[in-house]
Amino acid sequence: MTLQDRVRVHEVTLLSDNWYTLRTTAFDWRRNDGQWQRMHRETYDRGNGATLLPYDLQRRTVLLTRQFRYPTFVNGHDDLLIEAAAGLLDDAAPEERIRAEVEEELGYRLGEVRKIFECFMSPGSVTEKLHFFVAPYESSMRVGEGGGLAEEGEDIEVLEFGIDEALAMVADGRIADAKTVMLLYHARLHVFPPG
């Protein structure tokens, strides 16, 4: 039995399309015991995205960003958020879009980028799938200051940390962004040799 055989959608109602799209859906779900159960769920569709962690193996460093995030502020995070460069695909291929985001946010034009996995980051309510990448960087790849696009409300600071310092920042809570934590742990396990 496929999921198509277990879901009967009855009604989809648009709640908002102000920034992205918020819908509520009434559907029946066929439970494991064969019984049908009526459910209602809201889904927030903001499109899919990509994120990338640039790393320098020789210097054992990574590039990250720091910026204001209103949703984290209203949830009690009283600091700017430290994150990996990321952005929505906006109908572009994931690799194409992440290269542009890294150049806008970090000021680096990368060579080879490597996709490592895809994940749904908040599957209980958000439809977004995020494509994760890593790529080597060096100072000669810097083509600008970074900082993002002011017309999109971006005011981004570029940060460079040693991988061990970045992981310590995860442990003590200074880095609290899920995509960044995932990329840093991937880098520790698969990119940087123990040192």
Side-chain angles (χ1 to χ4, degrees):
M1 179 180 308
T2 69
L3 280 181
Q4 295 293 329
D5 299 323
R6 297 183 71 179
V7 177
R8 295 180 188 157
V9 175
H10 292 282
E11 182 179 4
V12 179
T13 304
L14 179 67
L15 300 177
S16 174
D17 65 354
N18 185 37
W19 186 250
Y20 299 110
T21 306
L22 178 63
R23 293 180 177 96
T24 186
T25 302
F27 63 94
D28 291 337
W29 167 248
R30 187 170 184 178
R31 299 174 54 84
N32 290 331
D33 64 8
Q35 299 296 312
W36 289 94
Q37 181 179 13
R38 177 64 52 101
M39 296 190 171
H40 295 84
R41 293 291 185 269
E42 290 183 1
T43 54
Y44 188 58
D45 185 353
R46 54 187 304 259
N48 294 325
T51 185
L52 184 142
L53 182 69
Y55 62 87
D56 182 327
L57 275 178
Q58 184 176 5
R59 297 187 316 121
R60 296 183 57 83
T61 57
V62 296
L63 294 175
L64 298 173
T65 68
R66 181 174 18 224
Q67 61 186 308
F68 176 69
R69 295 295 198 182
Y70 183 75
T72 64
F73 169 73
V74 298
N75 198 21
H77 187 76
D78 193 25
D79 202 353
L80 301 177
L81 203 63
I82 297 174
E83 305 176 56
L88 296 177
L89 299 184
D90 295 329
D91 298 321
E95 182 178 325
E96 173 189 349
R97 191 64 221 135
I98 197 56
R99 286 177 176 283
E101 285 294 331
V102 167
E103 194 165 325
E104 290 170 10
E105 294 184 5
L106 299 174
Y108 283 77
R109 187 168 296 142
L110 299 174
E112 177 188 350
V113 302
R114 183 168 50 97
K115 186 172 181 179
I116 53 175
F117 48 76
E118 301 172 4
C119 288
F120 292 97
M121 297 301 293
S122 192
S125 58
V126 181
T127 62
E128 178 186 36
K129 178 170 45 175
L130 203 53
H131 301 262
F132 287 74
F133 293 85
V134 293
Y137 78 95
E138 54 189 49
S139 60
S140 65
M141 295 175 173
R142 188 151 200 180
V143 295
E145 293 300 311
L149 301 175
E151 61 270 21
E152 292 182 4
E154 295 178 326
D155 183 19
I156 297 171
E157 181 183 355
V158 179
L159 306 172
E160 185 175 56
F161 294 110
I163 183 63
D164 295 326
E165 180 183 6
L167 290 167
M169 294 171 74
V170 170
D172 68 21
R174 288 178 287 162
I175 294 178
D177 171 65
K179 68 183 177 297
T180 307
V181 171
M182 293 166 72
L183 283 166
L184 288 169
Y185 279 118
H186 172 86
R188 181 64 191 95
L189 292 171
H190 302 288
V191 175
F192 290 97

